[in-house]
Amino acid sequence: MAFPHDKIRLTTAQAVVKYLSVQYSERDGMERRFIPAIFGIFGHGNVAGLGQALFEYGQDLTYHQPCNEQSMVHTASGYAKANHRLATIACTASIGPGSTNMVSGAATATINRLPVLLLPSDYYVTRHQGPVLQQLEHPVSAEVSVNDCFRPISRFFDRINRPEQLLTALPEAMRVLTDPADTGAVTISLPQDVQAHACDYPVHFFEKRTWRVERRPPTEARIAEAIEMLKGAKRPMIVAGGGVHYSEAWDALAEFAGTCGIPVGETFGGKGAMRESSDWSIGGFGVTGTPAGARIAAEADLIIAVGTRLTDFSTGSQSAFHHPGVRFIGINVAGHDAYKQGALPVTADAREALTSLTAAAREAGIRPDEAYREEIGRLMDAYQRSLQEEVYVDHPGEAMSQAQLIKTLNEEARDGDCVIAAAGSPPGDLHRLWDVSGGASCYLEFGYSCMGWELPAGLGTRMAGKHGEVYVYIGDGTYLMNPTELMTAMQEGLKVTVVISENHGYQIIRALQMARAGRSFGNEFRGRDTDSDRLEGDYLEIDFAANAESLGARAWHVKTPGELGQALREARSETRACAIVCETEKHRYLPPSDVWWDIASAEATNDPMTRKLREGYEAERRTSQRFHY
Ligand SMILES: Cc1ncc(C[n+]2csc(CCOP(=O)(O)OP(=O)(O)O)c2C)c(N)n1
Ligand SMILES: [Mg+2]
């Protein structure tokens, strides 16, 4: 134990490293290092500052080297997600482009409410060097730097102009990172010269500190009000979001749903919230969910939203809930979300709130309605039949469908495995089709749906100590956007299996385009056609397997579900990163979910096709949208 007047002389960067090395989180009595590692790409902005500090003081803050700064933030958020927000990885980047490369990573983390600590480098505070390499000279404000881009996408931002400012900045960073209601990207901008400036820091600042991640309890009054609403409801429904995972409220959710007889639909973030099969589980819900869920939601008179942001994909752009008297209960640790849709807000940790609700519901004598249970059973049976009879079937003359791809992956996945997706058709298809009841979980990032999150997040999931297979399921467009962390996977021995659906382009966007504009344009990987001067020529031949192999992965190229199954079995016994390239049918999509999505067709157009689609859009909007305040 140091005395208050004991001092240690360190640079700002050294102090950051020493401080981060002794921060812990604790929830439910389980303590762990909150930031056990740091990613960094060095440049002149941080090599002599944080780079030097990590070399001298970084024994307990393992350094990892990514290939791209955006990716390293994605790896950190994937790691945080797999750790249910109880740990993350810090990220240091050089001045200018290195730092701004982290912007998309920061937005992804903040929107998904995932903690990441970003340490971008900044321009000289002393300024007399003149504009330094990679400095943007703002025309009206000399103190603005490119790092100010992080302000709107950070939950806390500070710029360290003097070494002693760390004494307040770092504890505040930790408070925000470990607060379930506030967490997201935290940015501590570190000017290049200040990183190397020294000061006498109090020794006790570097003693172990444990940040308790509180479970906020609900108030009795709110629980009583919620129970009154539940007593009056004939057709309640739960919409379960990512908060269920973050709070580890799976059992509490299943218990509440079973006790009261409430069907549970899952958002992208909440996919797999109902881990065991149950009469009350209706799977993925929303624009990409099951048609059964759409039917139940349309007639529900009480929606209990748990740990969800209720984005347009969950509310069908405010078209999913048709019951004239529908009311909402919002269970969320963040007031911002709890109050949405004019809900009765239960501002609390999901597990605490659900446990209290279950006890209160039992006391109030609330029981499942058997007729409702049977109706849900019939709807889900019909849905399962439709999968076998219409969705998983072969289409003569066509390549394997993405539905068949997912079915095969799901069959090969075992208890403890997980599949990751974020953009293109993979997350929507998994949202509907992935079955978690065999124990293989599904991590979907669909808050920012950032192409390129998947592979780094897969590495983060592996770093979090996931022992089963980590499958990264992406489209060919997403692979092309960010394949390079395969190199990091090789460097660190992080086994992930990337399953690539090769369908020759941004096909989910093309499908949307055909539905709203009626013309295919700019979404497929095709050469330029000399007559039209558009990208309507031959489809390009790209050897994705060779590309993955060149980075060190073992690769397969498969055409049928049988070949995919074989490759997946071979990949399971492989120790290095794997890539399985699957030839899939270009324009074969899942049948619609029956939940509408508000994407406007052009209001003015000379194209009769687009005009017709606009008329359809207007009619759909008029009849389906209804706002809840
Ligand atoms: C970084 C980023 N850029 C653009 C988009 C918009 N976008 C969403 S899906 C998609 C196409 C993805 O293509 P691919 O990975 O091949 O999947 P597919 O649509 O073929 O299933 C695009 C461009 C995005 N989500 N993220
Ligand atoms: Mg594609």
Side-chain angles (χ1 to χ4, degrees), residues 159-228:
R159 179 175 282 121
I160 304 301
N161 291 314
R162 294 179 57 87
E164 53 271 48
Q165 288 173 345
L166 285 184
L167 297 169
T168 49
L170 288 177
E172 179 60 4
M174 284 300 302
R175 184 194 69 74
V176 172
L177 288 166
T178 55
D179 182 332
D182 279 356
T183 197
V186 164
T187 305
I188 304 292
S189 192
L190 295 170
Q192 175 178 349
D193 50 349
V194 180
Q195 285 184 44
H197 288 176
C199 110
D200 295 319
Y201 287 96
V203 170
H204 69 84
F205 188 62
F206 304 104
E207 283 171 356
K208 175 179 169 181
R209 181 152 183 194
T210 303
W211 299 81
R212 182 160 299 154
V213 180
E214 302 277 6
R215 288 191 179 274
R216 179 176 175 162
T219 63
E220 274 178 35
R222 289 304 199 204
I223 293 294
E225 283 177 79
I227 291 296
E228 281 310 306

Coordinates of all heavy atoms in Angstrom, one line a residue, residues 159-228:
R159 N -9.1 14.7 -24.4 CA -7.8 14.9 -25.0 C -6.8 15.2 -23.9 O -7.1 16.2 -23.1 CB -7.9 16.0 -26.1 CG -6.6 16.2 -26.8 CD -6.7 17.3 -27.9 NE -7.3 16.7 -29.1 CZ -8.4 17.1 -29.6 NH1 -9.1 18.0 -29.1 NH2 -8.9 16.5 -30.7
I160 N -5.7 14.5 -23.8 CA -4.8 14.7 -22.7 C -3.7 15.7 -23.1 O -2.8 15.4 -23.9 CB -4.1 13.3 -22.4 CG1 -5.2 12.3 -22.0 CG2 -3.1 13.5 -21.2 CD1 -6.1 12.7 -20.9
N161 N -3.9 16.9 -22.6 CA -2.9 18.0 -23.0 C -1.8 18.1 -22.0 O -0.7 18.7 -22.3 CB -3.6 19.3 -23.1 CG -4.6 19.3 -24.3 OD1 -4.2 18.9 -25.4 ND2 -5.8 19.8 -24.1
R162 N -2.0 17.5 -20.8 CA -0.9 17.5 -19.8 C -0.9 16.1 -19.1 O -2.0 15.6 -18.9 CB -1.1 18.6 -18.7 CG -1.0 20.0 -19.3 CD -1.3 21.0 -18.1 NE -0.3 20.8 -17.0 CZ 0.9 21.3 -16.9 NH1 1.3 22.1 -17.9 NH2 1.6 21.1 -15.9
P163 N 0.3 15.6 -18.8 CA 0.3 14.2 -18.2 C -0.6 14.0 -17.0 O -1.2 13.0 -16.9 CB 1.8 14.1 -17.8 CG 2.5 15.1 -18.6 CD 1.6 16.2 -18.9
E164 N -0.7 15.0 -16.1 CA -1.5 14.8 -14.9 C -3.0 14.7 -15.2 O -3.8 14.3 -14.3 CB -1.2 15.9 -13.9 CG -1.4 17.3 -14.3 CD -0.1 17.9 -14.9 OE1 0.5 17.2 -15.7 OE2 0.3 19.0 -14.5
Q165 N -3.5 15.1 -16.4 CA -4.9 14.9 -16.7 C -5.3 13.5 -16.7 O -6.5 13.2 -16.6 CB -5.2 15.6 -18.1 CG -5.1 17.1 -18.0 CD -5.3 17.7 -19.4 OE1 -5.1 17.1 -20.4 NE2 -5.5 19.0 -19.4
L166 N -4.4 12.6 -16.9 CA -4.7 11.1 -16.8 C -5.4 10.8 -15.5 O -6.2 9.8 -15.4 CB -3.5 10.3 -17.0 CG -2.8 10.1 -18.4 CD1 -1.7 9.1 -18.3 CD2 -3.9 9.7 -19.4
L167 N -5.0 11.5 -14.4 CA -5.5 11.1 -13.1 C -7.0 11.2 -13.0 O -7.7 10.5 -12.2 CB -4.8 12.0 -12.0 CG -3.3 11.8 -11.9 CD1 -2.7 12.9 -11.0 CD2 -3.0 10.5 -11.4
T168 N -7.6 12.1 -13.8 CA -9.1 12.1 -13.9 C -9.6 11.4 -15.1 O -10.7 10.8 -15.0 CB -9.6 13.6 -13.8 OG1 -8.9 14.3 -14.8 CG2 -9.4 14.2 -12.5
A169 N -8.9 11.5 -16.2 CA -9.4 10.9 -17.4 C -9.6 9.4 -17.4 O -10.6 8.8 -17.8 CB -8.5 11.3 -18.6
L170 N -8.5 8.7 -16.9 CA -8.6 7.2 -16.9 C -9.6 6.6 -16.0 O -10.4 5.7 -16.4 CB -7.2 6.7 -16.6 CG -6.1 6.9 -17.7 CD1 -4.8 6.3 -17.3 CD2 -6.6 6.2 -19.0
P171 N -9.8 7.1 -14.7 CA -10.9 6.6 -13.9 C -12.3 6.8 -14.6 O -13.1 6.0 -14.5 CB -10.7 7.3 -12.6 CG -9.3 7.7 -12.5 CD -8.9 8.0 -14.0
E172 N -12.4 8.0 -15.2 CA -13.7 8.3 -15.9 C -13.9 7.3 -17.0 O -15.0 6.8 -17.3 CB -13.8 9.7 -16.3 CG -15.1 10.1 -17.0 CD -16.4 9.9 -16.2 OE1 -16.3 9.5 -15.0 OE2 -17.5 10.1 -16.8
A173 N -12.8 7.1 -17.8 CA -12.9 6.1 -18.9 C -13.4 4.7 -18.4 O -14.2 4.1 -18.9 CB -11.5 6.0 -19.6
M174 N -12.8 4.3 -17.3 CA -13.1 3.0 -16.7 C -14.6 3.0 -16.2 O -15.3 2.0 -16.3 CB -12.2 2.7 -15.6 CG -10.8 2.2 -16.0 SD -10.8 0.7 -17.0 CE -11.7 -0.4 -15.9
R175 N -15.0 4.1 -15.6 CA -16.4 4.1 -15.1 C -17.3 3.9 -16.2 O -18.3 3.1 -16.2 CB -16.7 5.5 -14.4 CG -18.1 5.5 -13.8 CD -18.5 6.9 -13.4 NE -18.7 7.8 -14.6 CZ -19.8 7.7 -15.4 NH1 -20.7 6.8 -15.2 NH2 -19.9 8.5 -16.4
V176 N -17.1 4.6 -17.3 CA -18.0 4.5 -18.5 C -18.0 3.1 -19.1 O -19.0 2.5 -19.4 CB -17.7 5.6 -19.5 CG1 -18.5 5.5 -20.8 CG2 -18.0 7.0 -18.9
L177 N -16.8 2.6 -19.3 CA -16.6 1.3 -19.9 C -17.3 0.2 -19.1 O -17.9 -0.7 -19.7 CB -15.1 1.0 -20.0 CG -14.3 1.7 -21.1 CD1 -12.8 1.5 -20.9 CD2 -14.7 1.3 -22.5
T178 N -17.3 0.3 -17.8 CA -17.9 -0.8 -17.0 C -19.3 -0.5 -16.5 O -19.9 -1.3 -15.8 CB -17.0 -1.0 -15.7 OG1 -16.9 0.2 -15.0 CG2 -15.6 -1.6 -16.1
D179 N -19.9 0.6 -17.0 CA -21.3 0.9 -16.6 C -22.2 0.4 -17.7 O -22.2 0.8 -18.9 CB -21.5 2.5 -16.5 CG -22.9 2.8 -16.1 OD1 -23.8 2.1 -16.4 OD2 -23.0 3.9 -15.5
P180 N -23.1 -0.6 -17.4 CA -23.9 -1.2 -18.5 C -24.8 -0.2 -19.2 O -25.1 -0.4 -20.4 CB -24.7 -2.2 -17.7 CG -24.1 -2.4 -16.4 CD -23.3 -1.2 -16.1
A181 N -25.2 0.9 -18.5 CA -26.1 1.8 -19.2 C -25.3 2.8 -20.1 O -25.9 3.3 -21.0 CB -26.9 2.6 -18.1
D182 N -24.1 3.0 -19.8 CA -23.3 4.1 -20.5 C -22.3 3.5 -21.5 O -21.8 4.3 -22.3 CB -22.5 4.9 -19.5 CG -23.3 5.9 -18.8 OD1 -24.5 6.1 -19.2 OD2 -22.8 6.6 -17.9
T183 N -22.0 2.2 -21.4 CA -20.8 1.8 -22.1 C -20.9 1.9 -23.6 O -21.9 2.0 -24.2 CB -20.5 0.3 -21.7 OG1 -19.2 0.0 -22.0 CG2 -21.5 -0.7 -22.4
G184 N -19.7 1.8 -24.2 CA -19.5 2.0 -25.7 C -18.1 2.3 -25.9 O -17.2 2.0 -25.1
A185 N -17.8 3.0 -27.0 CA -16.4 3.4 -27.2 C -16.0 4.5 -26.3 O -16.8 5.5 -26.1 CB -16.2 3.9 -28.7
V186 N -14.8 4.4 -25.7 CA -14.2 5.5 -24.9 C -13.0 5.9 -25.6 O -12.1 5.1 -25.9 CB -14.0 5.1 -23.5 CG1 -13.1 6.0 -22.7 CG2 -15.3 4.9 -22.7
T187 N -12.8 7.2 -25.9 CA -11.6 7.7 -26.6 C -10.8 8.6 -25.7 O -11.3 9.6 -25.3 CB -12.1 8.4 -27.9 OG1 -12.9 7.6 -28.6 CG2 -10.9 8.8 -28.7
I188 N -9.6 8.2 -25.6 CA -8.6 9.1 -24.9 C -7.6 9.5 -25.9 O -6.7 8.7 -26.3 CB -7.9 8.4 -23.7 CG1 -9.0 7.8 -22.7 CG2 -6.9 9.3 -23.0 CD1 -9.7 8.9 -21.9
S189 N -7.7 10.7 -26.4 CA -6.8 11.2 -27.5 C -5.4 11.6 -26.9 O -5.4 12.4 -25.9 CB -7.5 12.3 -28.2 OG -6.8 12.6 -29.4
L190 N -4.4 11.0 -27.4 CA -3.0 11.3 -26.8 C -2.1 12.0 -27.8 O -1.5 11.4 -28.7 CB -2.4 9.9 -26.4 CG -3.2 9.1 -25.3 CD1 -2.7 7.7 -25.2 CD2 -3.1 9.8 -24.0
P191 N -1.9 13.3 -27.6 CA -1.0 14.0 -28.5 C 0.4 13.4 -28.4 O 0.8 12.9 -27.4 CB -1.0 15.4 -27.9 CG -2.4 15.5 -27.2 CD -2.7 14.2 -26.7
Q192 N 1.0 13.4 -29.6 CA 2.3 12.8 -29.8 C 3.4 13.2 -28.7 O 4.0 12.3 -28.2 CB 2.8 13.1 -31.2 CG 4.1 12.6 -31.5 CD 4.5 12.9 -33.0 OE1 3.7 13.3 -33.8 NE2 5.8 12.7 -33.3
D193 N 3.5 14.5 -28.5 CA 4.5 14.9 -27.6 C 4.1 14.6 -26.1 O 5.0 14.2 -25.4 CB 4.8 16.4 -27.8 CG 3.6 17.3 -27.8 OD1 2.5 16.8 -27.8 OD2 3.7 18.6 -27.7
V194 N 2.8 14.7 -25.8 CA 2.4 14.5 -24.4 C 2.6 13.0 -24.1 O 2.9 12.7 -22.9 CB 1.0 14.9 -24.2 CG1 0.5 14.7 -22.8 CG2 0.8 16.4 -24.6
Q195 N 2.5 12.1 -25.0 CA 2.8 10.7 -24.7 C 4.2 10.5 -24.1 O 4.4 9.6 -23.3 CB 2.7 9.8 -26.0 CG 1.3 9.6 -26.5 CD 1.2 8.7 -27.7 OE1 1.9 7.7 -27.7 NE2 0.4 9.1 -28.7
A196 N 5.1 11.3 -24.5 CA 6.5 11.2 -24.0 C 6.8 12.1 -22.9 O 7.9 12.0 -22.3 CB 7.5 11.4 -25.2
H197 N 5.9 13.1 -22.6 CA 6.2 14.0 -21.5 C 6.0 13.2 -20.1 O 5.1 12.4 -20.0 CB 5.2 15.2 -21.5 CG 5.4 16.1 -22.6 ND1 4.6 17.2 -22.8 CD2 6.3 16.2 -23.5 CE1 5.0 17.9 -23.8 NE2 6.1 17.3 -24.3
A198 N 6.9 13.6 -19.2 CA 6.9 12.9 -17.9 C 6.3 13.7 -16.8 O 6.2 15.0 -16.9 CB 8.3 12.5 -17.5
C199 N 5.8 13.0 -15.8 CA 5.4 13.7 -14.5 C 5.5 12.8 -13.4 O 5.6 11.6 -13.5 CB 4.0 14.4 -14.8 SG 2.6 13.7 -13.9
D200 N 5.4 13.3 -12.2 CA 5.5 12.5 -10.9 C 4.1 12.1 -10.6 O 3.3 12.9 -10.0 CB 6.1 13.3 -9.8 CG 7.6 13.6 -10.1 OD1 8.3 12.7 -10.7 OD2 8.0 14.7 -9.9
Y201 N 3.7 10.8 -10.9 CA 2.4 10.3 -10.6 C 2.3 9.7 -9.2 O 3.3 9.1 -8.7 CB 2.0 9.2 -11.6 CG 1.7 9.7 -13.0 CD1 2.7 9.7 -14.0 CD2 0.4 10.2 -13.3 CE1 2.4 10.2 -15.2 CE2 0.1 10.6 -14.6 CZ 1.1 10.6 -15.5 OH 0.8 11.1 -16.8
P202 N 1.2 9.9 -8.5 CA 1.1 9.2 -7.2 C 1.1 7.7 -7.4 O 0.5 7.1 -8.3 CB -0.3 9.6 -6.7 CG -0.9 10.5 -7.7 CD 0.0 10.6 -8.9
V203 N 1.9 7.0 -6.6 CA 2.1 5.5 -6.7 C 0.7 4.8 -6.6 O 0.5 3.8 -7.3 CB 3.1 5.0 -5.7 CG1 3.2 3.5 -5.7 CG2 4.5 5.6 -6.1
H204 N -0.1 5.3 -5.7 CA -1.4 4.5 -5.4 C -2.3 4.5 -6.6 O -3.2 3.7 -6.7 CB -2.1 5.0 -4.2 CG -2.6 6.4 -4.3 ND1 -3.9 6.6 -4.8 CD2 -2.1 7.6 -4.0 CE1 -4.1 7.9 -4.8 NE2 -3.1 8.6 -4.3
F205 N -2.1 5.4 -7.6 CA -2.9 5.5 -8.8 C -2.7 4.1 -9.6 O -3.6 3.7 -10.3 CB -2.4 6.6 -9.7 CG -3.3 6.9 -10.9 CD1 -4.7 7.2 -10.7 CD2 -2.8 6.8 -12.2 CE1 -5.5 7.5 -11.9 CE2 -3.6 7.1 -13.3 CZ -4.9 7.4 -13.1
F206 N -1.6 3.5 -9.4 CA -1.3 2.2 -10.1 C -1.5 1.0 -9.3 O -1.0 -0.1 -9.6 CB 0.1 2.3 -10.7 CG 0.4 3.5 -11.5 CD1 1.1 4.6 -11.0 CD2 -0.2 3.7 -12.7 CE1 1.3 5.8 -11.7 CE2 0.0 4.8 -13.5 CZ 0.7 5.9 -13.0
E207 N -2.3 1.1 -8.2 CA -2.6 -0.1 -7.5 C -3.9 -0.7 -8.1 O -4.7 0.0 -8.7 CB -2.9 0.3 -6.0 CG -1.6 0.5 -5.3 CD -1.7 1.1 -3.9 OE1 -2.8 1.4 -3.5 OE2 -0.7 1.2 -3.2
K208 N -4.0 -2.0 -7.9 CA -5.2 -2.8 -8.4 C -6.5 -2.1 -8.1 O -6.7 -1.7 -6.9 CB -5.1 -4.2 -7.9 CG -6.3 -5.0 -8.3 CD -6.3 -6.4 -7.7 CE -7.6 -7.1 -8.0 NZ -7.6 -8.4 -7.5
R209 N -7.4 -2.0 -9.1 CA -8.7 -1.4 -8.8 C -9.7 -2.3 -9.5 O -9.6 -2.7 -10.6 CB -8.8 0.0 -9.3 CG -10.1 0.7 -9.1 CD -10.1 2.2 -9.0 NE -11.4 2.6 -8.6 CZ -11.7 3.9 -8.7 NH1 -10.9 4.8 -9.1 NH2 -13.0 4.3 -8.4
T210 N -10.8 -2.6 -8.7 CA -11.8 -3.4 -9.3 C -13.1 -2.6 -9.4 O -13.6 -2.0 -8.5 CB -12.1 -4.6 -8.3 OG1 -10.8 -5.3 -8.1 CG2 -13.1 -5.6 -8.9
W211 N -13.6 -2.7 -10.6 CA -14.9 -1.9 -11.0 C -16.0 -2.9 -10.9 O -16.1 -3.8 -11.7 CB -14.7 -1.3 -12.4 CG -13.5 -0.4 -12.4 CD1 -12.2 -0.7 -12.6 CD2 -13.6 1.1 -12.2 NE1 -11.5 0.4 -12.5 CE2 -12.3 1.5 -12.3 CE3 -14.6 2.0 -12.0 CZ2 -11.9 2.9 -12.2 CZ3 -14.3 3.3 -11.9 CH2 -13.0 3.8 -11.9
R212 N -16.9 -2.7 -10.0 CA -18.1 -3.5 -9.8 C -19.1 -3.2 -10.9 O -19.5 -2.1 -11.0 CB -18.7 -3.4 -8.4 CG -19.9 -4.4 -8.3 CD -20.1 -4.6 -6.8 NE -19.0 -5.2 -6.1 CZ -18.7 -5.0 -4.8 NH1 -19.5 -4.3 -4.1 NH2 -17.7 -5.6 -4.3
V213 N -19.5 -4.2 -11.7 CA -20.5 -4.0 -12.7 C -21.9 -4.3 -12.0 O -22.2 -5.4 -11.7 CB -20.3 -4.9 -13.9 CG1 -21.4 -4.7 -15.0 CG2 -18.9 -4.6 -14.5
E214 N -22.5 -3.2 -11.7 CA -23.8 -3.3 -10.9 C -24.9 -3.9 -11.6 O -25.1 -3.7 -12.8 CB -24.2 -1.9 -10.4 CG -23.2 -1.2 -9.6 CD -23.1 -1.5 -8.1 OE1 -23.8 -2.5 -7.7 OE2 -22.4 -0.9 -7.4
R215 N -25.7 -4.7 -10.9 CA -27.0 -5.1 -11.5 C -28.1 -4.2 -10.9 O -28.4 -4.4 -9.7 CB -27.3 -6.6 -11.1 CG -26.4 -7.6 -11.9 CD -26.9 -9.0 -11.7 NE -26.1 -9.9 -12.4 CZ -26.3 -10.3 -13.7 NH1 -27.3 -9.7 -14.4 NH2 -25.6 -11.2 -14.2
R216 N -28.5 -3.3 -11.7 CA -29.5 -2.4 -11.1 C -30.9 -3.1 -10.9 O -31.4 -3.6 -11.8 CB -29.7 -1.2 -12.1 CG -30.7 -0.2 -11.7 CD -30.7 0.9 -12.7 NE -31.8 1.9 -12.3 CZ -31.9 3.1 -12.7 NH1 -31.0 3.6 -13.6 NH2 -32.9 3.9 -12.4
P217 N -31.4 -3.0 -9.7 CA -32.6 -3.7 -9.4 C -33.8 -2.9 -9.9 O -33.7 -1.6 -9.9 CB -32.7 -3.9 -7.9 CG -31.8 -2.8 -7.4 CD -30.8 -2.4 -8.5
P218 N -35.0 -3.5 -10.2 CA -36.2 -2.7 -10.6 C -36.8 -2.2 -9.3 O -36.6 -2.8 -8.2 CB -37.0 -3.7 -11.3 CG -36.7 -5.0 -10.6 CD -35.2 -4.9 -10.3
T219 N -37.6 -1.1 -9.4 CA -38.3 -0.7 -8.2 C -39.6 -1.6 -8.1 O -40.2 -2.0 -9.1 CB -38.8 0.8 -8.3 OG1 -39.7 0.9 -9.4 CG2 -37.6 1.7 -8.5
E220 N -40.1 -1.7 -6.8 CA -41.3 -2.5 -6.6 C -42.5 -1.9 -7.3 O -43.3 -2.6 -7.8 CB -41.5 -2.6 -5.1 CG -40.8 -3.7 -4.4 CD -41.1 -3.7 -2.9 OE1 -42.2 -3.4 -2.5 OE2 -40.1 -4.0 -2.2
A221 N -42.5 -0.6 -7.3 CA -43.7 0.1 -7.9 C -43.8 -0.3 -9.4 O -44.9 -0.5 -9.9 CB -43.5 1.6 -7.7
R222 N -42.7 -0.2 -10.1 CA -42.7 -0.5 -11.5 C -43.1 -2.0 -11.8 O -43.8 -2.3 -12.7 CB -41.3 -0.3 -12.2 CG -41.0 1.2 -12.3 CD -42.0 2.0 -13.0 NE -41.5 3.2 -13.5 CZ -42.2 4.3 -13.8 NH1 -43.5 4.3 -13.7 NH2 -41.6 5.4 -14.3
I223 N -42.6 -2.9 -10.9 CA -42.9 -4.3 -11.1 C -44.4 -4.5 -10.9 O -45.1 -5.2 -11.6 CB -42.1 -5.2 -10.1 CG1 -40.6 -5.2 -10.5 CG2 -42.6 -6.6 -10.1 CD1 -40.3 -5.8 -11.8
A224 N -45.0 -3.8 -9.9 CA -46.4 -3.9 -9.6 C -47.2 -3.4 -10.8 O -48.2 -4.0 -11.2 CB -46.8 -3.2 -8.3
E225 N -46.8 -2.3 -11.4 CA -47.5 -1.8 -12.6 C -47.4 -2.7 -13.7 O -48.4 -2.9 -14.5 CB -46.9 -0.4 -13.0 CG -47.2 0.8 -12.1 CD -46.5 2.0 -12.6 OE1 -46.9 2.6 -13.5 OE2 -45.5 2.3 -11.9
A226 N -46.2 -3.3 -13.9 CA -46.0 -4.2 -15.0 C -47.0 -5.5 -14.8 O -47.5 -5.9 -15.8 CB -44.6 -4.7 -15.1
I227 N -47.1 -5.9 -13.6 CA -47.9 -7.1 -13.3 C -49.4 -6.7 -13.6 O -50.1 -7.6 -14.2 CB -47.7 -7.6 -11.9 CG1 -46.3 -8.2 -11.7 CG2 -48.8 -8.6 -11.5 CD1 -46.0 -9.4 -12.6
E228 N -49.8 -5.5 -13.3 CA -51.2 -5.1 -13.6 C -51.4 -5.2 -15.1 O -52.4 -5.7 -15.6 CB -51.5 -3.7 -13.1 CG -51.8 -3.6 -11.6 CD -52.8 -4.7 -11.2 OE1 -53.9 -4.7 -11.8 OE2 -52.5 -5.5 -10.2

